[in-house]
Amino acid sequence: MKDIEEIAINAKKASLVLAGLSSDIKNNALDRIAKALVDNKEFIISQNEEDLKKAKILLENGEISQSIYDRLKLSDAKFNDMVAGVLDVKKLPDPINRTLSATKIDEDLELYKVSCPIGVIGVIFEARPDVIVQISSLAIKSSNAVILKGGIEAILANTALVKIINDTLSTIVEFPDNVINFVKSREDVNNMLSLDNYIDLIIPRGSNKLVQFIKGNTKIPVLGHSDGICHIFADESANIDLGVKVAVDSKIQYPAACNALETLLVSEKIADKFLPLLKDKMFENNVKLRGCDKTRKIISDIDVATDDDWKTEYGDKILSIKIVSDIDEAINHINTFGSGHTDCIISESKQNVEKFMALVDSAGVYHNVSTRFADGFRYGLGAEVGISTNKTHARGPVGLEGLTIYKYKLFGNGQIVAEYTGENAKKFLHGRIF
């Protein structure tokens, strides 16, 4: 197998060719990949089942968490969503070579800001073999080369998916080799993080431990989130039935996801009505509840919530609950203990909704809707490479646009800077073309 530096060098070369490919060529590749996945479904599922058998032993030995094991399974529904995601990306407008703005600097001197690929993206992730397909399809459409490193627990399915994608791309003459690259060892990760001459962006998808390790060991820009500590706040005006419905979905629809609800905040003015209904629904779905002292006075048969619970991403059917006096206490709690991922207010008060939306410092701020909507596919991005809580470049679910940057193109007719300096300097027009 090639060493990681050689892989990165070849990926860099491939990215420069990709930048010039037409939308038709890229869309044709995505069509063929979707068909190849369907044609090879039986084999892909069989490889995933073998991975699951080995992962079960790792789970029983405490080497992986339940949430990682849950994410590993490639069910029929997940497989179909994976294929649909490729075709959805195909339908999206090409994000490359779009003119973002144009300025008339002077007569016959025009400046254009134009979108372009980032280049080579390294993606390090745990479990979830469908990530291979999501990221590959987004990379192809956005003209980026990728180096993928998946967890050992999904090695067979990941290997199968990468081979199917690369075999398909090899049938398209215009496509360069080394667009989709796959590495397997932990040593490759360490080496990858040192290759800032060739790799332009690292995207970690996994535990807080993984993300913090990557951020602390590379000069390459890192895009991602460390924790998914998502909140719902039900204020005094909340529609209680709606609030319970949204909270239940946010917690149980997929508890292992980073956008699942972890802490529920309830106004003291409605807690005595809201919490008993919520408890019944959560208990029906085998969710364990932990509450503050005030909460346990209303629903006593639950565990005590400690300060550690407010800053914990469970990734499981566990929910912490806190009663708050008002919206200001709720916002302060979220901004103190949250991870800047996704937070929601259940409210019928326009004033409270506007205040919550403005002051909660998160990538996604919602009103009366499940936190599970924080997803590239649901946002209409086709798919996502991950969710970012960064405040630079891209934030929230990162789709095609998050995999682009821009360059400035200046078109002139012999102008020189000396003409615009000194006593008789020409004046810049700086007029907007659009």
Side-chain angles (χ1 to χ4, degrees), residues 75 106 179 194 197 289 296 319:
S75 62
D106 197 357
V179 172
S194 69
N197 286 337
L289 301 180
R296 296 180 74 246
L319 177 67

Side-chain angles (χ1 to χ4, degrees), residues 5 29 31 48 52 74 107 113 117 129 152 187 236 249 259 267 270 335 426:
E5 185 172 11
D31 256 338
N48 178 240
L52 283 166
L74 199 55
E107 297 300 333
K113 183 180 179 182
I152 191 68
E187 186 184 353
E236 66 272 17
D249 182 83
N259 55 17
S267 165
I270 64 163
N335 287 340
K426 293 175 69 175

